[in-house]
Each structure stands twice: as C-alpha cells, then as structure tokens.
Amino acid sequence: MTSKVEIISSALTLLGKAPVNSIGSGPPIVDAVSTMFDLVYPDLLTAHKWCFATSFKVLTPLVQTPQIDRWQYAYLLPSDLLHLYGTYPETLNYARYENYIYTNQYPTLTIEYAFLADINKWPIYFKNLMVVTLAAYAAMAVTENETLHQDYSQKALNYLISARSRDSQQQPAPVMKRDPIYSRKFGG
C-alpha cells in the first residue's frame, strides 16, 4: 500500500536523507516536502491524460436558467474535477465559467476529466515519476546543491516521458474517420 509518507520518504532518501515515518512530527523539511507534494501531484495529473486519473461523468442540467443570454442550459461540474478534457458529443459548442459548463445541448452532457486519483491506484511508473519529481523540487531546499537539483530535474523529465509512453500504451490509438476528399483523391 502506497502512501503520501512513503512517496515523501523515498524522495528524501534519494537526496541522502533518512527515511521518515510520519508528516508533522519530524524535521521541518518533511513538512516542506509534503507541501511540495500537494502542489506537484495535481500539476503532474494535468500534464498528461493519465488512464488511472481520467473519468467520464454524465451531467444533468440545472433547473434554473443560466444568467448568460447566449446559453440555454447550465451544468454543474464535478467537485473532483482538475482538468476538463472534453465533452460528448464532441461537436458541442460550450463555455466553461467557474464550476459550470454552459451550452445549448439538452438533456444530458457527458464530460471527460482528470481527477485526483487515490494514491493506492497509481501504477508503478507514476509512483516512480512522483518520487523523482518530488526529489527534483526538493533538491535545492534539502541539499543546497545546484548540480543535484539539475540532475534530478533531468531525471524527472525522462521519467515523465517514459511514464506518458507507458500510460498511453494502455489504450488503443483513435481510429481515423474516413475522409471523403482524401478517399476520392487517393482511392480507398
């Protein structure tokens, strides 16, 4: 079972510090790295459409009429939404303001979005990415060594590339729709 403490402890261990067992009762650097975790984690989740942190939700319109004249319907977005990837149907014309989507689509609207996934559901490649990225963010504060900070920053970038690739392999590439103009010109 993975926990926030385990991720922080692993990052600190990479930087040559002793492992930690809890947050809030140890050295101040542990609390600082915990704060970094809270900033880095949502940012990493929005850097890629991670399979384990993407969800679909069917929204129903709110009863009240939107206050914006251009739109007929308003939909409340989920409270766990970090990043809105899109809506279905895909051709939908909409606008997002605050925690609402406004559109002329009725009666239901499906959205695809990123959410804060439970740490126990992270795949190993994301756990490793989080540890190395956290080490990169914490390197200067923990070691005051610019070279180490740069090394871990480069490692974090490499881990991000690898993790994105591995995550993308878990779903097929979208099938391209037949284009009548292309078919007429090139056959098929």
Side-chain angles (χ1 to χ4, degrees):
M1 187 160 112
T2 302
S3 68
K4 180 178 178 178
V5 174
E6 182 184 336
I7 300 292
I8 291 168
S9 182
S10 297
L12 288 171
T13 303
L14 284 178
L15 298 173
K17 297 298 179 188
V20 297
N21 296 321
S22 63
I23 300 169
S25 61
I29 195 64
V30 175
D31 293 332
V33 176
S34 175
T35 300
M36 289 177 196
F37 178 100
D38 294 339
L39 296 172
V40 169
Y41 177 42
D43 189 47
L44 273 181
L45 284 181
T46 59
H48 175 71
K49 192 194 255 186
W50 303 102
C51 294
F52 66 92
T54 300
S55 185
F56 290 89
K57 185 161 193 162
V58 177
L59 306 178
T60 53
L62 300 175
V63 176
Q64 69 266 26
T65 304
Q67 297 175 352
I68 303 171
D69 292 337
R70 180 175 167 198
W71 307 109
Q72 295 176 353
Y73 306 103
Y75 298 82
L76 180 64
L77 291 168
S79 60
D80 63 344
L81 182 138
L82 281 178
H83 182 77
L84 180 65
Y85 292 125
T87 62
Y88 297 92
E90 293 172 341
T91 57
L92 180 68
N93 185 19
Y94 70 92
R96 178 182 176 188
Y97 301 106
E98 297 177 5
N99 294 330
Y100 299 94
I101 286 184
Y102 296 93
T103 183
N104 294 322
Q105 174 74 25
Y106 184 81
T108 59
L109 171 69
T110 302
I111 63 166
E112 182 178 18
Y113 68 100
F115 66 94
L116 282 175
D118 184 325
I119 199 166
N120 292 310
K121 299 199 174 162
W122 291 2
I124 189 66
Y125 55 83
F126 191 82
K127 290 177 189 175
N128 292 336
L129 170 62
M130 190 64 187
V131 167
V132 173
T133 302
L134 204 52
Y137 273 80
M140 282 301 291
V142 172
T143 66
E144 297 180 5
N145 182 330
E146 178 66 29
T147 304
L148 191 64
H149 166 68
Q150 289 175 356
D151 288 348
Y152 274 105
S153 294
Q154 186 59 51
K155 285 181 183 178
L157 180 59
N158 293 340
Y159 270 77
L160 176 62
I161 292 167
S162 174
R164 288 173 66 166
S165 174
R166 291 169 69 186
D167 191 70
S168 295
Q169 292 171 8
Q170 297 188 46
Q171 51 189 333
V175 177
M176 302 222 14
K177 296 178 184 170
R178 293 194 88 150
D179 180 5
I181 296 172
Y182 180 85
S183 296
R184 187 175 293 147
K185 183 171 183 173
F186 298 106

